[in-house]
Amino acid sequence: DAGAEAETVSTWSWGSLWPSVVVSLWLAGMGISSLRLLGAAAWMWMVWQRMEPASAAALRTARNMSTRLGLKSLPRIAVSSAVTEPLALQWLRPTVLLPASWLADVSPEVLEAVLAHELAHIRRCDLWVNLWQRLVETVLFFHPCVWWVSQRIRIERELCCDADAVHGGHPGQRRDA
């Protein structure tokens, strides 16, 4: 009788304890995943504080590309030595950030293509999509399918913006048309 009672108590204790363990592990994992978001936000803030205005030629090209892409207003165009590749950032006041290291050597055609690509991200609201995607990755960090789907979404976003840049800001237009 004593052995059966001990076994019942042991099983009952684990049965009531495991949800707490699972929730604790999930909260710990989510906390660790949140550090990635906080690190990205801190980096973005640091870059935002150190960026400089872009050249007149870059602004002129960006204005032309914004018009061709149908953007209602020209996003901020800036230069930073903290980045090694062009990127779009900020959600409320979108900014295209160009690396200072290659801006002087880049041809006007390459600058136009790069700006078209980054402005396409802004036109498609990819900055907001990326934010929501990162939040989902943080909450569902434990599921490998979330990471796989998220990577596929990133690749497809880049391909869509490449296509917009190639077609000169006219999505869906064929190159030979």
Side-chain angles (χ1 to χ4, degrees):
D1 265 339
E5 186 177 312
E7 186 176 319
T8 305
V9 169
S10 166
T11 305
W12 178 83
S13 296
W14 172 246
S16 65
L17 184 62
W18 77 268
S20 299
V21 170
V22 169
V23 169
S24 296
L25 289 173
W26 177 76
L27 286 171
M30 200 172 91
I32 292 168
S33 294
S34 296
L35 292 176
R36 189 179 113 190
L37 279 176
L38 290 172
W43 179 83
M44 193 166 58
W45 179 256
M46 185 267 309
V47 168
W48 183 261
Q49 295 299 315
R50 295 181 182 165
M51 67 184 187
E52 300 170 10
S55 67
L59 289 173
R60 200 171 28 256
T61 304
R63 193 172 296 111
N64 291 339
M65 287 311 303
S66 287
T67 302
R68 287 169 65 183
L69 283 166
L71 290 171
K72 292 181 175 93
S73 63
L74 177 67
R76 181 182 288 178
I77 310 296
V79 176
S80 175
S81 58
V83 296
T84 57
E85 61 188 34
L87 55 98
L89 59 122
Q90 294 293 332
W91 302 284
L92 300 176
R93 176 91 197 275
T95 300
V96 174
L97 197 55
L98 303 169
S101 61
W102 63 262
L103 196 57
D105 297 330
V106 73
S107 70
E109 294 81 19
V110 171
L111 179 62
E112 183 175 313
V114 165
L115 286 171
H117 176 93
E118 297 305 327
L119 291 170
H121 278 298
I122 293 169
R123 182 180 58 87
R124 292 169 31 88
C125 298
D126 283 348
L127 304 174
W128 287 100
V129 171
N130 192 52
L131 174 64
W132 286 110
Q133 194 173 334
R134 292 284 179 117
L135 291 172
V136 168
E137 290 171 356
T138 300
V139 173
L140 300 175
F141 68 92
F142 57 87
H143 204 299
C145 288
V146 168
W147 292 99
W148 181 80
V149 168
S150 191
Q151 182 60 30
R152 292 301 314 160
I153 290 171
R154 279 190 189 86
I155 290 168
E156 291 300 324
R157 272 200 323 251
E158 291 301 320
L159 292 174
C160 288
C161 291
D162 286 346
D164 282 359
V166 166
H167 299 308
H170 302 288
Q173 180 183 5
R174 290 180 38 165
R175 190 174 196 178
D176 58 350

